[in-house]
Amino acid sequence: MSASPLVAYPTDTLKVNSRPTASPLKRPISAAPSSDGTPRPPVQAQPTRPHATMDLAEQMNDDEKRKWVKGKKLGEGTYANVFAAHLRTDPSQKAAIKKIKVQKEYRDGMAPDALREIKHLQELNHPNVVRLISVFSSKDQNLNLVLEYLPLGDLEDLIRNVNTYRYGAADIKAWMGMLCRGVWFCHENFVLHRDIKPNNILIAANGEAKLADFGLARSFSDPAIPMTTNVITRWYRPPELLFGARHYSGAVDVWSVGLVFAELIIRSPFLPGDSEINQIDCICRAIGTPTEENWPGVTKLPGYAVAGETVPVYGKDAYMGRFGAVGADGVDLLMKTLVLDPRKRITAREMLEHKWWRSEPKPTRNEDLPRKTKGGLEKMAADLKRVNPMEEDNRGAKVARKLDFGAMKK
Amino acid sequence: MASEDARYRQSTQYRLWSFSPAQLSSMREKTNALAQSNISERLLSTRALPEFLTPAEELQLLNFYTIDLLRAGNFFNLRTDMRATAAVFLRRFYLTNSIMTYPPTDMLKTCLFFGCKAEGHYPSVGKFAEQFPNTTGEDVLAGEFLLCQGLRFAFDVKHPFRALEGAIMELRRYGNIEDSRISSAHSRAREILKFSPLVTDAYFHYTPSQIMLAALSLADQELAERVVHETFHHPALSDGAAAAPTRENRKGAAAAGERARLVGAEMRDRVLEVVNACREVLAKEPPERMTAYWGTPDSNQITRPLLRKLKKCHDPDRWNLVELQRARREQAALKEDAEDDEGNGARGSLDGDGAVFGDADGRDVKRRKVAKAPEDPFGGPL
């Protein structure tokens, strides 16, 4: 009996009480009959475990936990394991359960990544932000995050696999629209994401792009309170952070959005610096050197340092040559996201009001966007049933990489 | 509906942690009854049952410990938002957990520590614990997971402090109120917000802006009412609503009608009513009561007997959080692999060894190997 993880539920570690007490809160969960008539495994056919001697808090947690049936392990990372899951009452409702591991190297209790992700995702509910459906703790004291199931990979897959996926200006416009709406919603709710990049933008079964990975997010700070500068993956980090600004705004996310935009067009990272110094160099060479003229006060930032000759900020012509695929209006938006001075950079709201969205071509509808697999959910189900361990391993590795916050930050 | 209201209703503070007074007291009764029956079962074999705390006594102790927490927060110079978040955490935790089950003196340290983290400040637990007498990092962390579960993993608390700054800016904008009057109302209201809503049930029943207006109204009733009246004063509105409802603008007229209802006098009076109700709640615990909870003969008379009672009736097994945590970790270490494996479809074949020896991964590999050979050397099924 003790072998089956689902049968014996310890109501208390110090004293297991076998006498079931009728609980006022016990909710019988009806087991859905299986569709093909096959008898279900016994553990599933036994949905009600007595709440025995549980506190109200434990009962609430248990009710939440029992809504879900955990399925196959999809990936393993240093930070978390990911499982497929579905609703007990409606197996067609799929989800992913991210089981966060206790981080051994972080000795101060719950790790900041997990805390931030839970804190912010609990509050944000928007079609372009990954949805946190539920959180519960398992009996081994691990956190389980029930997240929206996003089976079609991420934007990075689509950008990198140049030979597999072809996409055009209308597709870029659709993806950028979704990204901008997600970022706008975060800022509207006073949350900075602080790690926007192509592999944090996941694709749902219906083609909708969603902002994910809130492990570095934080609420807007009060004016007097400094923030850390060591956020956002280097290639997408704005100049004010590279110069060590401790008081910054939503403009840091907008810069990252601009670089995702550029990357979607040229299908390779626009500013791939190999160190922080080199990153500043890349910015100076590709966009222009930050100076007191184009950015009053920049030289007083703690980490201000630019090497070599001052490069004047590039004008529209220079951008048209490289990014002309999205048209003049698209280039205009791109340039406004990549303004050096964060105070003059376009805001998320202004991005949504930009004329590019309404100029030709119209953005592609979600169902017509290039995607990892055609056929959406049916194909995904088939994918999951297919027993090809190599494929499974690859898929797992991708998810794991995405979840590995520790590796990403350094 | 005003979109700000709709947005507030998306928050965990509203979805998970807002209740009517009746709901709140029924939850407290349930928590108390469950604790009594749990502890009775544990004690029954060993000794005669003690007298248990009543829900009202638990609440009294909770207030006492909330103030203890605020004092500690002041003493450590924690930021206002961290102190407030910690206090709200403590009160939320003891809504679904009884004071008789888990020790409030320890949990309040955990709440302070986790409150700092939730507000984006990550102190080292060792240094944090040093500030308290006879406390180690382990003591502080032992209750952390328990706390998170008790909070239902809602770590975002919306406070009325920034709302007050906003209202003060509004008042200044009106232009015909003496600045010194606004300033003194500002500082008094702030003082109230740092204490009164945190040691009452205000956060469970009212929105941050309602709490802010109630505190402002305690500081200077006229100013608070001015804010409400100005907000609901829309001279241009009647013109728009008067337009004839033609086919084209019927939708617009309906919207205007809805808007008129929202910003009309009736809604304004309801808001004033709610603010007044909240004001009464806050008035019971003005900031001056901070010192009334400890050391005075009055307070001793109330709390001492309760503390004595608590000493006799607390949960014998779960009172020591460090021990409890250690036992749970050990058990978890045994179960973890089995837990991870539960979804892998091997339920039927799961024998004891997997869970005990933790070789779930080994089995996983084996299963993959089996699955990997689609071309069975002995041919497919007949």
Side-chain angles (χ1 to χ4, degrees), chain B residues 31-37 39 50-55 57-58 61 94 97-104 309-319:
Chain B
T31 297
N32 178 273
L34 278 168
Q36 288 201 19
S37 79
I39 297 168
E51 202 188 328
F52 288 107
L53 293 174
T54 64
E57 289 170 334
E58 279 204 59
L61 277 179
Y94 281 116
N97 292 284
S98 165
I99 281 192
M100 298 182 281
T101 311
Y102 299 112
K309 214 168 155 187
L310 178 61
K311 215 172 185 177
K312 285 186 197 137
C313 71
H314 67 67
D315 190 311
D317 298 332
R318 294 196 261 191
W319 200 251

Side-chain angles (χ1 to χ4, degrees), chain B residues 102-281:
Chain B
Y102 299 112
T105 38
D106 294 338
M107 287 310 295
L108 77 84
K109 295 172 193 165
T110 308
C111 285
L112 275 170
F113 180 67
F114 199 72
C116 289
K117 283 165 72 170
E119 294 300 335
H121 174 62
Y122 301 90
S124 122
V125 71
K127 281 207 186 108
F128 181 84
E130 269 172 26
Q131 298 174 289
F132 294 95
N134 309 321
T135 306
T136 65
E138 199 185 5
D139 295 332
V140 174
L141 287 185
E144 195 188 59
F145 192 83
L146 217 51
L147 176 65
C148 292
Q149 182 177 292
L151 297 175
R152 305 182 72 188
F153 305 101
F155 303 147
D156 189 64
V157 184
K158 301 196 186 308
H159 296 295
F161 305 114
R162 281 174 170 175
L164 178 64
E165 302 305 310
I168 295 300
M169 284 181 211
E170 273 297 293
L171 283 168
R172 293 229 160 87
R173 201 178 55 88
Y174 300 151
N176 54 3
I177 309 168
E178 218 173 298
D179 205 57
S180 61
R181 182 176 177 186
I182 296 179
S183 297
S184 67
H186 184 186
S187 57
R188 176 62 185 167
R190 213 177 144 73
E191 208 184 335
I192 293 168
L193 287 181
K194 283 182 185 175
F195 183 80
S196 309
L198 300 170
V199 295
T200 58
D201 289 330
Y203 275 68
F204 288 126
H205 302 323
Y206 302 101
T207 69
S209 41
Q210 288 164 352
I211 295 172
M212 177 277 289
L213 284 168
L216 188 59
S217 148
L218 277 173
D220 189 329
Q221 189 159 13
E222 231 174 86
L223 291 189
E225 281 176 7
R226 176 83 189 271
V227 173
V228 176
H229 280 276
E230 293 274 351
T231 307
F232 282 91
H233 182 62
H234 297 275
L237 198 75
S238 47
D239 304 346
T246 63
R247 214 180 162 79
E248 286 73 34
N249 72 2
R250 191 168 293 160
K251 215 170 150 192
E258 170 68 1
R259 204 173 122 69
R261 195 183 67 76
L262 282 178
V263 299
E266 203 180 317
M267 194 60 91
R268 178 197 62 206
D269 292 344
R270 266 186 70 192
V271 168
L272 285 172
E273 210 175 289
V274 174
V275 169
N276 275 330
C278 181
R279 180 189 148 102
E280 274 168 40
V281 171

Side-chain angles (χ1 to χ4, degrees), chain A residues 17 108 110 119 122-123 137, chain B residues 12 41 117 144 149 153:
Chain A
N17 194 314
D108 299 323
M110 184 188 279
K119 176 179 169 182
Q122 283 268 47
E123 311 294 325
S137 55
Chain B
T12 49
E41 267 169 33
K117 283 165 72 170
E144 195 188 59
Q149 182 177 292
F153 305 101

Side-chain angles (χ1 to χ4, degrees), chain A residues 12-15 17 43 53 71 81 99 108-110 119 122-123 125 137 141-143 220 222, chain B residues 10 12 15 38 41-42 117-118 125 144-145 149 153 156 162 317 325 328 331 336 339-340 343 347:
Chain A
D12 187 292
T13 49
L14 298 181
K15 191 173 190 177
N17 194 314
V43 276
T53 56
N81 291 339
K99 183 173 167 180
D108 299 323
M110 184 188 279
K119 176 179 169 182
Q122 283 268 47
E123 311 294 325
N125 185 2
S137 55
Q141 297 219 332
N142 275 320
L143 290 172
F220 283 18
D222 275 326
Chain B
Q10 298 271 320
T12 49
R15 287 188 289 125
N38 287 350
E41 267 169 33
R42 291 196 171 89
K117 283 165 72 170
V125 71
E144 195 188 59
F145 192 83
Q149 182 177 292
F153 305 101
D156 189 64
R162 281 174 170 175
D317 298 332
Q325 179 66 358
R328 285 192 168 155
Q331 198 186 37
E336 186 165 22
E339 167 91 11
D340 263 4
R347 291 188 185 94

Side-chain angles (χ1 to χ4, degrees), chain A residues 100-241:
Chain A
I100 297 173
K101 295 178 174 176
V102 178
Q103 273 167 303
K104 302 257 170 3
E105 67 274 20
Y106 190 75
R107 297 177 172 281
D108 299 323
M110 184 188 279
D113 313 330
L115 201 160
R116 290 193 193 109
E117 179 155 39
I118 295 171
K119 176 179 169 182
H120 295 297
L121 284 185
Q122 283 268 47
E123 311 294 325
L124 298 171
N125 185 2
H126 184 271
N128 299 115
V129 175
V130 64
R131 201 157 84 84
L132 180 62
I133 302 163
S134 168
V135 188
F136 60 83
S137 55
S138 43
K139 53 186 164 288
D140 52 4
Q141 297 219 332
N142 275 320
L143 290 172
N144 292 264
L145 275 53
V146 184
L147 291 158
E148 204 177 346
Y149 198 28
L150 305 171
L152 297 186
D154 57 46
L155 216 50
E156 192 184 29
D157 289 342
L158 294 159
I159 294 172
R160 291 285 179 278
N161 295 315
V162 180
N163 295 324
T164 320
Y165 306 113
R166 317 246 154 196
Y167 60 75
D171 304 318
I172 295 177
K173 191 178 284 185
W175 284 319
M176 282 302 294
M178 294 186 272
L179 171 60
C180 289
R181 290 195 288 275
V183 174
W184 166 78
F185 188 75
C186 291
H187 291 183
E188 194 71 4
N189 286 280
F190 310 107
V191 172
L192 299 175
H193 184 282
R194 305 197 300 180
D195 199 15
I196 295 170
K197 56 181 173 177
N199 72 354
N200 281 342
I201 299 157
L202 306 188
I203 313 286
N206 64 0
E208 189 91 26
K210 316 231 173 194
L211 198 50
D213 191 345
F214 280 66
L216 284 175
R218 68 159 290 151
S219 308
F220 283 18
S221 173
D222 275 326
I225 297 163
M227 294 179 274
T228 172
T229 59
N230 194 17
V231 287
I232 306 186
T233 305
R234 193 193 311 120
W235 296 351
Y236 307 90
R237 202 179 298 162
E240 65 268 29
L241 288 184

